[in-house]
Amino acid sequence: MPKARAELVSVSDTPFYHVISRCVRRTFLCGQDRATGRCYEHRRGWIEERIRLLASVFAIDVAAYAVMSNHYHLVVKLSPDEVEPWSMDEVLARWCSLYKGPPLVQRYHRGDELCAAELRRVEEYAETFRQRLADLSWFMKCLNEPIARQANKEDKCTGHFYDGHPWPSPLRGQPSAVPI
């Protein structure tokens, strides 16, 4: 039986992880489908663009990646201590660059006047988002979900696009790949 991700990821042991995410139902992630003649190469750009965006938002560095016809590989470096000095406003801005955010956070961003209880709740949201911005699981969710939605829409189908959860494996030492 596979181990829980929390048991696999230990930044104190190594900050580097190799993650693989594979497509289901013989779906093409990119490349040419010889059976149908359809070309999916444009999807490589979707993934590369999303990786760059997430690497700029999260406290996770992408050391290397490879996009194959039905799966991709990432080598990431987790830097959970990097989020600690971020101000509440920076945390909220980073998170809200990916998601709309709760209505209270939207009001805070607009500069609406908030009572003390509302400000405390905004601070609680910021702490939740701070933890997520250092979390590999959230990084992978933010990478896979939009790509899956876009591909399913293009393929005119619903359901899973990726096979279960991407499982990380620790890397010992530093990878020799060039950062993006």
Side-chain angles (χ1 to χ4, degrees), residues 57 83-97 104-112 114 119 122-127 129-130 133:
V57 172
V83 299
E84 293 311 315
W86 294 348
S87 69
M88 180 178 81
D89 286 344
E90 183 174 2
V91 168
L92 293 174
R94 285 172 180 261
W95 189 257
C96 291
S97 71
L104 192 56
V105 171
Q106 293 174 37
R107 288 181 48 217
Y108 176 81
H109 271 155
R110 280 195 310 263
D112 294 356
L114 303 177
L119 280 173
V122 169
E123 290 170 1
E124 290 171 6
Y125 280 128
E127 286 312 305
F129 300 154
R130 182 183 310 276
L133 290 169

Side-chain angles (χ1 to χ4, degrees), residues 36-51:
T36 65
R38 285 191 62 193
C39 180
Y40 297 94
E41 193 56 34
H42 61 283
R43 292 180 180 177
R44 183 183 310 274
W46 298 352
I47 296 165
E48 291 173 347
E49 184 179 316
R50 191 72 183 173
I51 289 171

Side-chain angles (χ1 to χ4, degrees), residues 15-20 60-66 72-78 136 139 169 171 173-177 179:
F16 291 98
Y17 289 86
H18 173 223
V19 185
I20 302 169
I60 295 175
D61 296 319
V62 178
Y65 67 88
Y72 67 83
H73 299 260
L74 289 176
V75 175
V76 297
K77 180 184 181 214
L78 307 181
L136 180 57
F139 182 92
S169 59
L171 293 175
Q174 294 199 359
S176 58

Side-chain angles (χ1 to χ4, degrees), residues 1-10 17 137 165-170:
M1 178 183 294
K3 289 185 177 182
R5 187 174 291 123
E7 294 176 30
L8 292 173
V9 176
S10 172
Y17 289 86
S137 294
H165 293 283
W167 290 100
S169 59

